């Protein structure tokens, strides 16, 4: 009895303490974001929402935020356009040089960020892509391709390919089979893959520091400059907001999964 | 039969998978009539499923032609052949209800929605699932799912229906019930049906004709009873039902006698073999009976080595003095006589002995 109690308490205690250890620094940032004054300080002397107003009203913060959304969106779109057909080809066909192509796709994972950043800095300079959004989009897409390709391949591996044959036997060609069978069934996993591509770009700092310049400055780059130059409490605001968004997404996903589980459970009951 | 051309013809069809030396399917030829139920029967890896996939259009033959009403369909992609297909794992679309699954082929054919509605309901009713139209596949049992798949394969009135071990995943009782339902639907609707199975009793009960596959070839294609009574090869005789194969050579051809280790065996009237040819004399176990005393011919004495009791009957194995093993059936009442180690006399009728060629 006591041992069972212990065995259920110990993991809980561990989980809570690890969670606290990881979350505490983030909570400090949340508290600091409401602090008064023009520089970061803990504990704050008084609480205000001044820094939030600064963030949402200054072009110096809004433009990089918008840039980051545009760049992350565009690079996620490009990444999906490249990885989806590639993942299909790898799942469906055997072709000469398959392993070599896979190695090439995975290559960006093996190169250190700083090396890639330098390479892009010199290469894009020649192509006149330095300090442009297009340049950052391309660089971020290259970064996301291996990760998203892995996710897409895993998605397709668990896909039941007899459904494709069943659809063809019903009279649908390749296009209509993809449109009516593959796409609806794979859409949730495509969305997850797209989200990963988006986050990969949104979160990326090293390459953005080298090639985005002032014209195409991303949010992480702006945050880095802010901390280095002015120690502005707005950084804490941005961190808090990002933290809130990520937490919200995680909660929504967990909640939907839970709802789906209980729904299928009631269906099982109906069948009885 | 004065048919000018067969409905579906396989003409020396072969399939080689890239890089492999051996053929998966080797020179398969068959003529299938309209409205006929043909089973492709064989062990796994015998080429029956590959043959079905080539008819469906999912695999390209390496050689040979597949003719439908006289024209070659090899170049026509699967989705334009208008063939219905039922798969072993049901392959229902999980994001669609039973109704939507059955409606899918009709929607692809751009039929008006009132007609789709009417036809889907009729076909769901035909397979006994009218009440389950709004269920998704995950909410249906295996048997119900396969009925939906059946309705989906039939609803667009396909030219040919192909089934790939459709009952393989169902339990025995449900399987037997579905066998009857499929057979009745096929007869009622006059469907041309090609049915892949490895279950010989399934093929026996359902088919008009059975094509027995082995090593990528058709060993024999004939009506079920013909296959059972007069198999042309040893493989067919042993794969379909139980059999005793007794090695021998034709002795006197006009007297129709085979010389074997257990003496001369007379055989039925319909075999044409010359004297001296190496043959098997095949006798089905249920055609061998216990005898009071040893008959002068068409019988032998056995020492019982094993008895398996089924309640109503027993399956008995015994060996002759020369070591030939024979298997026969006895009624439940005769079980005591056939106890292990006892000596029994058995006999058979010469008409029940079938002769088939024996390779070297």
């Amino acid at each position: 009895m006591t041992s069972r109690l212990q065995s259920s308490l110990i993991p809980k205690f561990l989980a809570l303490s690890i969670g606290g250890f990881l979350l505490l620094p983030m909570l400090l940032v949340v508290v600091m974001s409401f602090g008064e004054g023009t520089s970061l300080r803990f504990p704050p002397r008084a609480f205000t929402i001044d820094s939030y107003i600064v963030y949402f009203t200054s072009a110096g913060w809004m433009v990089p935020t918008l840039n980051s959304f545009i760049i992350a969106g565009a690079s996620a779109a490009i990444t999906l356009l490249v990885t989806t057909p590639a993942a299909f080809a790898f799942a469906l066909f055997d072709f000469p040089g398959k392993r070599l192509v896979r190695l090439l796709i995975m290559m960006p994972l093996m190169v250190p960020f700083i090396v890639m950043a330098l390479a892009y800095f010199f290469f894009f300079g020649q192509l006149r892509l330095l300090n442009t959004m297009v340049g950052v989009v391309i660089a971020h897409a290259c970064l996301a391709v291996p990760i998203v390709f892995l996710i897409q391949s895993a998605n397709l591996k668990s896909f039941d390919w007899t459904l494709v044959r069943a659809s063809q036997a019903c009279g649908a060609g390749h296009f209509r089979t993809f449109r009516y069978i593959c796409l609806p069934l794979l859409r949730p996993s495509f969305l997850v893959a797209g989200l990963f591509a988006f986050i990969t770009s949104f979160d990326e700092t090293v390459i953005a520091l080298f090639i985005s310049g002032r014209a195409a400055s991303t949010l992480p780059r702006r945050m880095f400059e802010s901390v280095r130059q002015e120690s502005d409490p707005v950084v804490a605001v941005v961190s808090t907001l990002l933290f809130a968004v990520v937490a919200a997404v995680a909660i929504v996903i967990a909640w939907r999964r839970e709802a789906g589980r209980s729904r299928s459970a009631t269906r099982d009951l109906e069948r009885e | 039969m004065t048919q000018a051309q067969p409905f579906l013809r396989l003409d020396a069809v072969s399939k080689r998978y890239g890089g492999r030396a051996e053929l998966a399917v080797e020179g398969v030829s068959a003529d299938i009539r309209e409205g006929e139920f043909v089973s492709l029967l064989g062990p796994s890896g015998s080429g029956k499923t590959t043959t079905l996939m080539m008819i469906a259009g999912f695999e390209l033959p390496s050689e040979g032609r597949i003719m439908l009403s006289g024209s070659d369909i090899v170049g026509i992609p699967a989705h334009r052949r208008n063939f219905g297909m039922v798969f072993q794992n049901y392959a229902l679309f999980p994001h669609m209800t039973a109704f939507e699954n059955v409606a899918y082929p009709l929607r692809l054919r751009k039929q008006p929605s009132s007609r789709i509605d009417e036809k889907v309901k009729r076909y769901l009713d035909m397979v006994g699932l009218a009440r389950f139209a709004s269920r998704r596949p995950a909410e249906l049992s295996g048997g119900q799912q396969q009925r939906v798949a059946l309705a989906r394969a039939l609803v667009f009135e396909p030219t040919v229906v192909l089934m790939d071990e459709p009952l393989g995943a169902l339990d025995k009782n449900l399987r037997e019930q579905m066998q009857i339902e499929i057979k009745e639907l096929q007869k009622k609707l006059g469907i041309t049906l090609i049915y892949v199975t490895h279950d010989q009793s399934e093929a026996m009960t359902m088919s008009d004709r059975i094509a027995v596959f082995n090593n990528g070839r058709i060993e024999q294609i004939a009506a079920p009873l013909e296959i059972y009574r007069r198999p042309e090869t040893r493989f067919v005789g042993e794969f379909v039902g139980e059999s005793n194969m007794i090695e021998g050579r034709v002795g006197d051809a006009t007297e129709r006698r085979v010389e074997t280790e257990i003496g001369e065996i007379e055989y039925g009237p319909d075999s044409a073999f010359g004297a001296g040819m190496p043959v098997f004399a095949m006798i089905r176990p249920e055609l061998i009976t216990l005898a009071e005393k040893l008959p002068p011919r068409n019988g032998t004495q056995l020492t019982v080595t094993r008895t398996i009791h089924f309640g109503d009957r027993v399956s008995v194995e015994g060996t002759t003095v020369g070591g030939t093993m024979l298997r026969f059936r006895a009624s439940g009442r005769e079980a005591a006589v056939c106890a292990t180690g006892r000596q029994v006399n058995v006999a058979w009728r010469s008409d029940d002995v079938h002769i088939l060629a024996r390779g070297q």
Side-chain angles (χ1 to χ4, degrees):
Chain A
M1 187 68 202
T2 39
S3 71
R4 196 186 299 166
L5 200 68
Q6 274 172 351
S7 65
S8 74
L9 276 180
I10 291 170
K12 271 182 191 164
F13 174 75
L14 280 176
L16 277 177
S17 45
I18 292 171
F21 181 73
L22 291 175
L23 279 176
L24 221 56
M26 297 198 214
L27 288 177
L28 286 186
V29 173
V30 173
V31 173
M32 285 197 290
S33 77
F34 290 101
E36 198 187 41
T38 52
S39 63
L40 283 170
R41 185 193 298 262
F42 190 86
R45 263 178 258 151
F47 292 98
T48 97
I49 56 161
D50 284 354
S51 302
Y52 283 81
I53 294 168
V54 172
Y55 171 69
F56 282 108
T57 51
S58 79
W61 281 102
M62 277 293 107
V63 169
T65 306
L66 199 64
N67 282 351
S68 265
F69 272 101
I70 294 170
I71 288 168
S75 91
I78 291 175
T79 305
L80 282 183
L81 281 178
V82 172
T83 54
T84 307
F88 266 92
F90 272 83
L92 285 175
F93 307 115
D94 272 318
F95 48 88
K98 191 170 176 174
R99 298 170 69 129
L100 188 71
V101 178
R102 191 196 301 272
L103 189 70
L104 278 176
I105 294 175
M106 301 315 290
M107 202 69 108
L109 272 189
M110 299 166 218
V111 183
F113 275 26
I114 189 69
V115 175
M116 285 179 77
L118 270 172
Y120 282 126
F121 183 74
F122 291 116
F123 184 54
F124 281 3
Q126 288 179 344
L127 293 177
R128 298 176 181 280
L129 284 173
L130 227 45
N131 304 336
T132 64
M133 280 217 215
V134 177
V136 185
V137 167
I138 293 173
H140 281 177
C142 291
L143 212 60
V145 159
I147 300 163
V148 176
F149 174 75
L150 279 184
I151 297 171
Q152 295 281 69
S153 295
N155 291 338
L156 294 184
K157 201 162 263 175
S158 60
F159 187 73
D160 178 6
W161 294 101
T162 28
L163 294 181
V164 170
R165 288 190 163 183
S167 169
Q168 286 171 342
C170 285
H174 290 297
F175 178 75
R176 291 204 283 181
T177 295
F178 183 80
R179 165 87 182 69
Y180 294 120
I181 306 301
C182 300
L183 197 58
L185 289 173
L186 291 169
R187 191 179 291 138
S189 37
F190 279 13
L191 280 179
V192 170
L195 194 66
F196 265 91
F198 189 91
I199 290 172
T200 304
S201 163
F202 203 86
D203 193 39
E204 199 288 323
T205 320
V206 180
I207 293 173
L209 273 179
F210 273 72
I211 65 170
S212 70
R214 288 233 166 262
S217 176
T218 63
L219 192 56
R221 182 195 164 103
R222 178 72 179 81
M223 288 166 78
F224 180 74
E225 283 169 353
S226 161
V227 170
R228 207 181 41 173
Q229 291 161 10
E230 35 201 293
S231 188
D232 188 344
V234 177
V235 170
V237 169
V238 180
S239 306
T240 304
L241 290 175
L242 288 178
F243 180 47
V245 168
V246 171
V249 168
I251 287 168
V252 165
I253 289 175
W255 175 70
R256 282 191 56 170
R257 189 170 292 170
E258 200 53 48
R261 200 173 294 154
S262 64
R263 195 165 58 231
S264 62
T266 49
R267 274 182 190 159
D268 284 343
L269 279 179
E270 278 168 22
R271 208 191 311 171
E272 290 300 309
Chain B
M1 272 290 182
T2 50
Q3 236 175 336
Q5 59 199 14
F7 186 58
L8 184 69
R9 159 170 274 181
L10 304 183
D11 186 7
V13 174
S14 295
K15 175 72 186 179
R16 183 193 302 276
Y17 284 108
R20 302 239 188 104
E22 76 278 18
L23 291 162
V25 171
E26 193 172 350
V28 162
S29 294
D31 285 348
I32 292 154
R33 289 185 288 272
E34 193 163 8
E36 195 177 22
F37 191 130
V38 175
S39 288
L40 312 186
L41 174 68
S44 59
S46 61
K48 56 191 195 304
T49 298
T50 306
T51 303
L52 192 80
M53 291 305 161
M54 288 191 283
I55 299 172
F58 296 133
E59 300 279 2
L60 272 180
S62 311
E63 276 164 57
R65 296 180 304 168
I66 301 171
M67 316 285 287
L68 182 72
S69 308
S71 52
D72 195 347
I73 58 167
V74 164
I76 300 176
H79 65 277
R80 296 228 186 84
R81 292 195 184 186
N82 202 43
F83 289 2
M85 179 110 193
V86 178
F87 299 85
Q88 180 175 5
N89 69 349
Y90 323 131
L92 293 180
F93 308 126
H95 58 306
M96 299 183 186
T97 62
F99 184 96
E100 283 305 319
N101 265 281
V102 180
Y104 184 64
L106 302 176
R107 293 201 198 290
L108 291 170
R109 285 167 178 75
K110 304 234 161 25
Q111 299 204 354
S113 62
S114 59
R115 184 166 160 69
I116 292 177
D117 222 49
E118 180 266 318
K119 283 201 85 173
V120 173
K121 278 184 182 145
R122 184 148 52 88
Y123 275 82
L124 277 176
D125 197 40
M126 209 183 288
V127 296
L129 285 179
R131 290 195 303 131
F132 300 96
S134 59
R135 295 274 185 98
R136 285 183 191 255
E139 301 160 351
L140 296 169
S141 70
Q144 289 168 336
Q145 288 188 56
Q146 199 56 298
R147 286 196 176 91
V148 175
L150 205 58
R152 186 180 66 184
L154 300 178
V155 72
F156 58 99
E157 288 158 25
T159 329
V160 177
V161 177
L162 310 171
M163 299 195 184
D164 184 15
E165 309 228 8
L167 308 180
L170 303 178
D171 64 58
K172 187 169 169 287
N173 286 338
L174 192 55
R175 198 161 61 217
E176 283 167 2
Q177 191 189 331
M178 292 283 291
Q179 285 171 8
I180 297 167
E181 285 182 33
I182 291 175
K183 181 66 193 166
E184 281 177 354
L185 271 177
Q186 183 263 337
K187 257 197 233 158
K188 192 171 98 183
L189 302 173
I191 299 161
T192 310
L193 206 163
I194 304 176
Y195 190 100
V196 163
T197 181
H198 65 263
D199 179 342
Q200 43 116 350
S201 73
E202 193 165 284
M204 289 289 289
T205 51
M206 297 174 83
S207 329
D208 297 321
R209 281 192 299 157
I210 300 174
V212 182
F213 275 73
N214 186 33
N215 289 328
R217 296 165 177 274
I218 294 184
E219 297 241 340
Q220 187 173 1
I221 176 164
L225 276 185
E226 180 73 13
I227 294 267
Y228 189 76
R229 288 187 182 147
R230 284 179 284 277
E232 284 169 7
T233 65
R234 178 183 191 175
F235 176 83
V236 174
E238 288 181 337
F239 190 75
V240 180
E242 280 187 82
S243 61
N244 296 297
M245 293 280 177
I246 305 156
E247 273 184 41
R249 276 178 191 278
V250 177
D252 188 336
T254 47
E255 291 282 310
R256 297 198 301 270
R257 285 183 190 162
V258 182
E259 289 161 1
T260 72
E261 182 270 318
I262 60 172
E264 282 195 334
I265 296 178
E266 287 182 334
Y267 56 87
D270 60 348
S271 311
F273 288 95
M277 284 176 73
V279 292
F280 285 110
M282 187 196 84
I283 317 169
R284 296 288 185 188
E286 71 274 17
L287 301 174
I288 300 178
T289 51
L290 285 167
E292 288 279 315
K293 52 185 179 182
L294 193 63
R297 203 174 282 131
N298 294 332
T300 186
Q301 191 176 53
L302 293 174
T303 308
V304 176
T305 53
R306 192 192 309 185
T307 308
I308 304 167
H309 215 299
F310 292 104
D312 58 333
R313 68 201 153 85
V314 278
S315 171
V316 187
E317 276 177 27
T319 47
T320 61
V321 182
T324 302
M325 200 270 278
L326 285 184
R327 195 178 287 154
F328 68 98
R329 302 261 189 278
S331 70
R333 195 194 299 159
E334 293 163 326
V337 183
C338 304
T340 308
R342 297 192 57 167
Q343 303 236 317
V344 292
N345 296 322
V346 292
W348 53 84
R349 299 190 322 148
S350 59
D351 283 357
D352 293 334
V353 178
H354 172 69
I355 301 297
L356 48 103
R358 172 162 64 94
Q360 304 311 315

